[in-house]
Amino acid sequence: MIRQPFRARTSEELIALLSAVATAILAFIIITTLYFGREIFVPIALAILLSFVLAPLVGVLQRIRMPRGLAVVSVVILAFVLIFAMGSLLATQLTQLAGDLPRYQSTISEKIQSFRETTAGRGTLERASGMLKDLSKELEKPKDAAAGTGSILSPKAPAPLTPVPVEVRQPDPSALESLQSLISPLLHPLATTGIIIIFVIFILLQREDLRNRLIRLAGSHDLQRTTAALDDAAGRLSRLFLIQLLLNGTFGVVIGLGLWLIGIPSAILWGILAAVLRFVPYIGAAIAAAFPLALAVAVDPSWSMLLWTIALFLVVEPIVGHVIEPMVYGHSTGLSPVAVVASATFWTALWGPIGLVLATPLTVCLVVLGRHVERLEFLDVMFGDRPALTPPEIFYQRMLAGDPTEAAEKAEEFLKERSLSSYYDEVALKGLQLAQVDAERGALDDERLTKIRDAVDEFTNNLSDQDDRLPPKLRSTTDAEATSAVESVAEDAPYEDLPVLSKGELPSEWQSEYPVLCVAGRSFLDEAAAIMLGQLSTAHGLAARVEGAEALSTANIFRLETTGVAVVCLIYMDGNGPAHMRYSVRRLRRKLPKATIILGCWMKDMDPAGLELLRDGAKADLVAASLGEAIKLCIEATGIDSHRQPAKQDERSATTAV
């Protein structure tokens, strides 16, 4: 009986290890297949991506009553006519550029010479270069010339033999050989293009059949979910690729026109190159700019053309990348920056330059699959731009690591949009609830619980200068605007607009140094939650003092300092000890017979009926399910309306100050 759990755990670990090994072997097989089968997979990948781009156009033609087959063939023919026209234009531009290159040699030589003349005198590097050139000339001299008088001392030395020139001539090629030499370089591109055309046509024609087969592979047991996932993925990818094509094409047109106005030769070539390379994230535009910049140096004897070209790229690229793209489809493609670089490296190593261009679209496809297919969720986690951890998980992890500074930085970002009470309820409290789950299953020992408590204490100190008002962007000067600002926040934040009180407007019994006492129920996590409530209460103008769970013991309860305490908040993160709650409330009632006792039960997924049962069993005055609700009850205990509007609150505070 004792060894059975050990054998069960060993079997699970063995199964997990075998699964990991099988996954690694499968990944190796897939990568190897992609590498050695790139001649087949590259055309298929291009065809799939082109089908995503052309599918909306086919849909438009079908909506105007054009037959499906005719619409597909028309769109494919039009697309490849444009591609071939662009290719011929590129070939013409390259031929013209190659013919003009010798003319630019003199300009480059003059610029190098002028650059040398700008330096003062002959530097050390230039003298070293000249010395090396002289030394190389000496080493290249014939042996007889280097020997000097050696030939006079040796008159009988044989004369060097004169080589006899030999010319080898190949027979004139036959007509068949000439035709073969002409066609062979074109066979591979033509074959690849033909494969792409055929695949694009069949993918567009058989789109529904392919969709049904994918549904069968993904799982036909949940047709609604699978169909919605595929439709969403296809729609998103089609829009993304089509918009990217339009934006990058527009970028290429603007760059081409700008270079033509500047006077850069072959401006059409560089515009097309800029449009294509812009599919490569981060570095594509820089690579596209390198070629016209080098040509500007070679063409213009002065430096003005170079400066204008630099200015063109520095103006157009930020406008397209940081203004137009975010307005059209968001700031990013859904990929993390690390994933973009890693995918570009991976696909380039597999498929060469074409892999670099296809890296982002292919990785976007993988991320979309990861978001909709449960078995492929790891792809979204690895490559997607969505946070791998939720804000509560990040908070809990930072508390475990003893790093409250990073958690405070995340909190300050949150506070730019929401209030402090919303952060504590939606992030920090849920993070402590995750810790409570781990504590209940025995994953946290006392040392780690103490570390979490201490980290929370430091975290609240870092936020001690934060009040609990709405962010400045949501504050208004009129009641109507204030109401609109409050209503614009999330519906699950009912305590977003609680008033911040001043000491002068509090009743006389609340004028003590600490009118609020926050007491932990019985654990370090309860104390951490009490520390957060104390900081939030102080931020609302109700100064609070925090006591640990040991203050509730029979020996310590009589020594507890309670002077001026009007409200006691007793905090529990778990509801497994109703008897402990009852005895704690009884001891506090004996010590503070006139104080209001609020029971804070901040368990995960606790319903209102269960909370009321705990309050009734503990004989507490009030019960709160969150920090925001506890603050609301404390404010109402003072007799002040907790729904007071921020504008009225500021006016009253100013009057009190005067």
Side-chain angles (χ1 to χ4, degrees):
M1 296 298 293
I2 299 177
R3 294 182 179 180
Q4 183 63 30
F6 177 77
R7 286 198 300 269
R9 286 195 297 270
T10 304
S11 300
E12 293 176 359
E13 292 175 357
L14 181 59
I15 292 174
L17 179 61
L18 291 176
S19 177
V21 172
T23 303
I25 294 174
L26 180 61
F28 176 78
I29 293 174
I30 292 175
I31 294 173
T32 304
T33 305
L34 288 174
Y35 178 76
F36 289 103
R38 57 185 179 274
E39 299 294 334
I40 299 175
F41 291 114
V42 168
I44 294 176
L46 288 171
I48 293 174
L49 295 179
L50 277 176
S51 66
F52 278 119
V53 174
L54 300 179
L57 302 180
V58 174
V60 171
L61 293 181
Q62 284 188 279
R63 282 194 292 272
I64 60 175
R65 304 298 182 179
M66 182 178 288
R68 175 69 172 274
L70 182 59
V72 170
V73 174
S74 301
V75 169
V76 172
I77 290 176
L78 178 61
F80 279 92
V81 165
L82 293 176
I83 292 173
F84 285 137
M86 190 179 300
S88 62
L89 186 59
L90 282 175
T92 304
Q93 292 281 304
L94 284 172
T95 303
Q96 181 182 354
L97 180 63
D100 294 340
L101 282 179
R103 293 191 304 159
Y104 308 141
Q105 184 176 359
S106 60
T107 305
I108 297 176
S109 300
E110 291 175 1
K111 286 194 174 182
I112 294 175
Q113 184 63 30
S114 64
F115 180 75
R116 287 179 176 178
E117 290 176 357
T118 56
T119 59
R122 291 171 57 87
T124 304
L125 293 177
E126 190 172 352
R127 290 196 299 270
S129 176
M131 183 181 67
L132 290 175
K133 289 180 179 179
D134 295 338
L135 180 59
S136 64
K137 290 179 181 179
E138 290 294 331
L139 293 175
E140 291 174 357
K141 287 183 179 180
K143 290 184 178 180
D144 291 343
T149 58
S151 60
I152 300 176
L153 297 176
S154 304
K156 296 181 180 181
L161 298 176
T162 302
V164 178
V166 178
E167 183 177 357
V168 179
R169 292 191 176 186
Q170 296 288 344
D172 294 335
S174 62
L176 185 60
E177 291 175 345
S178 300
L179 184 62
Q180 182 180 0
S181 63
L182 179 64
I183 295 179
S184 57
L186 302 176
L187 286 178
H188 185 269
L190 290 176
T192 303
T193 305
I195 293 174
I196 294 173
I197 293 174
I198 293 173
F199 268 104
V200 170
I201 292 175
F202 276 95
I203 289 173
L204 293 176
L205 286 175
Q206 303 293 324
R207 185 171 55 182
E208 288 79 8
D209 182 67
L210 292 174
R211 179 200 61 198
N212 296 337
R213 295 181 185 276
L214 286 175
I215 290 174
R216 180 67 177 178
L217 291 175
S220 58
H221 59 280
D222 192 355
L223 290 176
Q224 185 275 334
R225 179 179 178 183
T226 308
T227 302
L230 287 177
D231 290 342
D232 178 61
R236 286 176 182 269
L237 290 174
S238 295
R239 287 193 300 270
L240 173 64
F241 296 153
L242 188 59
I243 291 174
Q244 275 194 326
L245 182 62
L246 293 175
L247 282 179
N248 294 344
T250 304
F251 176 79
V253 170
V254 173
I255 291 296
L257 288 175
L259 294 177
W260 176 74
L261 293 175
I262 293 172
I264 301 294
S266 304
I268 298 177
L269 171 64
W270 309 127
I272 296 174
L273 185 66
V276 174
L277 287 177
R278 204 176 179 281
F279 283 97
V280 181
Y282 302 123
I283 61 174
I287 297 174
F291 297 100
L293 289 176
L295 198 57
V297 175
V299 172
D300 187 15
S302 64
W303 300 97
S304 60
M305 188 176 290
L306 175 65
L307 297 178
W308 279 110
T309 305
I310 294 175
L312 175 66
F313 279 92
L314 290 180
V315 171
V316 176
E317 168 58 23
I319 291 177
V320 174
H322 300 285
V323 178
I324 298 178
E325 281 186 354
M327 289 191 302
V328 175
Y329 59 82
H331 185 70
S332 69
T333 58
L335 305 179
S336 67
V338 176
V340 169
V341 176
S343 64
T345 305
F346 174 78
W347 291 109
T348 304
L350 279 183
W351 292 349
I354 190 66
L356 181 62
V357 177
L358 295 177
T360 299
L362 289 175
T363 310
V364 168
C365 294
L366 295 177
V367 170
V368 171
L369 286 175
R371 291 181 181 178
H372 292 285
V373 181
E374 186 176 354
R375 294 181 180 179
L376 302 178
E377 186 180 3
F378 70 94
L379 294 173
D380 184 26
V381 176
M382 291 175 60
F383 302 122
D385 61 349
R386 295 190 297 184
L389 298 177
T390 62
E393 289 172 341
I394 293 176
F395 178 85
Y396 174 36
Q397 195 275 332
R398 288 295 87 197
M399 296 301 104
L400 272 176
D403 184 14
T405 302
E406 182 179 342
E409 292 176 357
K410 297 290 185 182
E412 290 175 356
E413 294 177 5
F414 184 96
L415 295 176
K416 294 177 182 178
E417 304 289 337
R418 305 288 297 280
S419 66
L420 184 63
S421 59
S422 296
Y423 176 81
Y424 274 130
D425 280 338
E426 298 175 18
V427 179
L429 183 58
K430 291 183 178 179
L432 289 184
Q433 289 172 349
L434 294 175
Q436 181 63 37
V437 172
D438 286 347
E440 290 176 357
R441 64 185 182 90
L444 297 177
D445 54 16
D446 288 343
E447 182 180 356
R448 289 197 171 188
L449 291 173
T450 304
K451 189 175 183 179
I452 293 174
R453 190 270 316 271
D454 295 340
V456 169
D457 189 18
E458 185 177 348
F459 169 78
T460 55
N461 286 332
N462 292 336
L463 298 182
S464 59
D465 58 342
Q466 298 281 349
D467 60 16
D468 196 18
R469 302 177 189 270
L470 288 172
K473 63 171 63 176
L474 296 181
R475 297 179 191 172
S476 306
T477 56
T478 66
D479 290 347
E481 293 176 347
T483 303
S484 176
V486 172
E487 290 177 351
S488 65
V489 300
E491 295 181 357
D492 57 349
Y495 312 111
E496 188 89 35
D497 59 338
L498 294 175
V500 177
L501 309 177
S502 63
K503 191 171 183 179
E505 61 184 325
L506 293 176
S508 57
E509 60 270 19
W510 288 75
Q511 294 292 330
S512 62
E513 184 179 5
Y514 295 108
V516 177
L517 176 63
C518 301
V519 184
R522 57 179 179 178
S523 70
F524 290 113
L525 293 179
D526 297 342
E527 186 175 353
I531 291 172
M532 293 194 303
L533 179 61
Q535 195 269 336
L536 185 60
S537 177
T538 302
H540 276 273
L542 302 175
R545 190 176 85 251
V546 179
E547 294 289 344
E550 64 277 0
L552 294 174
S553 65
T554 305
N556 295 330
I557 189 68
F558 296 103
R559 294 195 294 268
L560 182 64
E561 178 60 38
T562 59
T563 304
V565 174
V567 169
V568 180
C569 296
L570 181 61
I571 311 302
Y572 286 89
M573 291 297 298
D574 70 286
N576 297 326
H580 191 281
M581 295 179 185
R582 184 171 65 255
Y583 291 127
S584 298
V585 170
R586 183 181 301 174
R587 292 169 186 170
L588 289 171
R589 184 80 68 190
R590 291 173 181 172
K591 183 68 175 178
L592 295 157
K594 296 183 179 180
T596 301
I597 299 179
I598 300 175
L599 182 63
C601 298
W602 297 339
M603 290 74 73
K604 188 176 182 181
D605 301 328
M606 175 62 71
D607 59 336
L611 285 174
E612 186 60 29
L613 286 176
L614 289 176
R615 185 205 65 79
D616 186 61
K619 306 301 180 183
D621 297 317
L622 301 167
V623 65
S626 65
L627 284 89
E629 186 176 2
I631 296 299
K632 177 177 178 294
L633 295 176
C634 290
I635 294 174
E636 291 176 348
T638 66
I640 299 175
D641 184 11
S642 61
H643 295 90
R644 191 177 63 190
Q645 294 296 332
K648 297 179 181 179
Q649 165 196 331
D650 295 341
E651 180 182 353
R652 182 174 177 181
S653 299
T655 304
T656 304
V658 173

